[in-house]
Amino acid sequence: MAIELGKHKIRFNSICPGLFKSEITEGLMQKDWLHNVALRTIPLRDHGTSDPALTSVIRYLIHDSSEYVTGNMFIVDAGATLPGVPIFSSL
């Protein structure tokens, strides 16, 4: 999409969020097992909140300072998808 839309000066990026604390995930976040999994598999050892984690990325992408940024995936997941991080099923 970035290649096709670039000639029209349209930037195309995506945000790939991990699991965040929110009203939707409130019940899940209270589970002890999820906290234990986060401690063992997520490099930053916690689940963030959408503000400021996601909103900061969005603010950057809509700001003029990102006018040269296109075709990127911004992964916001506390490092959970880094290569070498153990997956839950291997614990």
Side-chain angles (χ1 to χ4, degrees):
M1 292 296 291
I3 293 170
E4 293 176 20
L5 298 174
K7 61 186 170 191
H8 302 290
K9 300 291 184 200
I10 298 172
R11 295 174 289 140
F12 188 86
N13 296 289
S14 64
I15 300 172
C16 309
L19 187 59
F20 283 90
K21 297 173 186 171
S22 70
E23 291 176 9
I24 296 171
T25 62
E26 184 177 356
L28 182 62
M29 292 295 176
Q30 295 174 356
K31 306 289 184 189
D32 288 336
W33 66 266
L34 183 64
H35 179 70
N36 291 334
V37 168
L39 288 176
R40 296 174 70 185
T41 63
I42 299 175
L44 293 182
R45 307 287 189 251
D46 196 12
H47 298 286
T49 58
S50 59
D51 189 23
L54 289 176
T55 55
S56 297
V57 175
I58 294 167
R59 283 188 202 118
Y60 168 69
L61 289 173
I62 62 175
H63 194 269
D64 289 341
S65 62
S66 69
E67 68 180 330
Y68 199 64
V69 177
T70 191
N72 290 284
M73 294 188 321
F74 291 83
I75 301 171
V76 185
D77 67 355
T81 57
L82 286 171
V85 173
I87 57 174
F88 178 69
S89 62
S90 68
L91 298 178

